[in-house]
Amino acid sequence: MAPRADDVQTVASGLLTAGVSTLCDSKLGRYAIGTACLAAAYNFLLTPKQQKTKEHFDNRSSRFKALQQKHFPPGFPNTWHAVCNAADLTDGQVKSISALGTELVAFRGADGKAAVLDAFCPHMGAHLGFGGQVVGNTIQCPFHGWSFDGSGTCHRIPYTTRLTEEVKEGAKIKAYETRELLGRIFIWFDAEGRPPQWDLAAGLDLEEAVTRGDCYPVAMRCSIFHQHCCEMHMNSADPFHFQTLHAPLPIPGLGRFIKGIHRIRTIYGEGEIRGKVEKHQHLTLFKEKTMGLYLFGKKRWPVPFSATVAQLIDTVVTFEGPNMMHFKLITPLGTIRQIKTILPIEPFKQQVEMYWYAEKSVPRIIAYLLSLIGKVALEQDLEVWENKLYWKEPVLVEGDGPFQEFFDWYGQFYSQSSSQVGRHQLEW
Ligand code: FES
Ligand SMILES: [Fe+2]
């Protein structure tokens, strides 16, 4: 009869134990074991281990930046940009702003009007945002005390009485047209120096609702995205990416198991102003609807009641120019709104601010949780956005979205000098 495997193992381990204990009992044996252990450790430490491939591709490398600059539109579109908050300018504070290929300073004079000027003093180049002081309706330079009003005109030089029109003309600082909305300060930025081509209107009803107390602020979030400012808006022309990047439910931990199906519709040249759809070239109207949730994205495994609940919720977004978005989440509990602004700090570095509000009827906790979900949903694109290029003539097929319409619409925010803005300062 052949020996059983168990018997063989028992005999082998018995012999091994006996051998080791015999070795340990003798001096020579202990020496041999110690040497063997040292040799094993030596081999273990010096033998190269299998490793993952080293990451060669650094999306911040100069080569990648050069590719981006070659392919993308210029970094600073002609539009309204939210440059700072009203809270930055309380109690005579001045705010330095480094964005849009330039340096700016914001202050609020005694007349209560917020002003934004180019930051460098025409006298000897001091930065008015560092040490400048608000005096009456002017900002006073920290270096030699010249004072400039909100239009950038020099009103006082402390050591001369000869402030002639000629000196004033030479000492004029560039001033930007400003608007205040919901505690944010916007400037009109235009590469050609033209006056505003249109005015902010899509958030006025929300501001009035907040003032009346019909809406309340929910959350304010700020993120830095290393990408071009066109990317978020380009989503409006891209229905299929909602079935890939945005399929996972944007709730941490659940996205792997539960996927949503979305339908979107985009109309360029229209948007919602005070709840009514209006036609204006600078607007885009975007509607999204989640059709239901499915386990592992399988249509045969729907999440119970998800389609019914999803039917009750509508998302309507008005893009007001390229860098401001007004989200409306219409739910049976009331409407939740978000104003999102994108400020290009550099051509490929965006300060994204998200301000959430809700109607009184919406419980604060629900609105707050939705604002968190909104943040996760936004970040679903991030890895692609921060590492992609922009093809002016992409290969498109049937089923792709209205990219050409988007390119045409987006082109209106650039002009002849757009590609020159900030070049000398940013070395790009
Ligand atoms: S540098 Fe501003 S007053 Fe001289
Ligand atoms: Fe997206």
Side-chain angles (χ1 to χ4, degrees), residues 257-259 261 293-303:
F257 310 108
I258 302 178
K259 318 262 179 190
I261 292 185
L293 302 174
Y294 300 86
L295 281 177
F296 300 103
K298 307 277 185 206
K299 277 199 172 166
R300 58 182 181 277
W301 293 337
V303 175

Side-chain angles (χ1 to χ4, degrees), residues 235 241-242 245-246 377 381 385:
N235 268 202
H241 96 289
F242 284 86
L245 298 185
H246 297 301
D381 295 278
W385 279 341

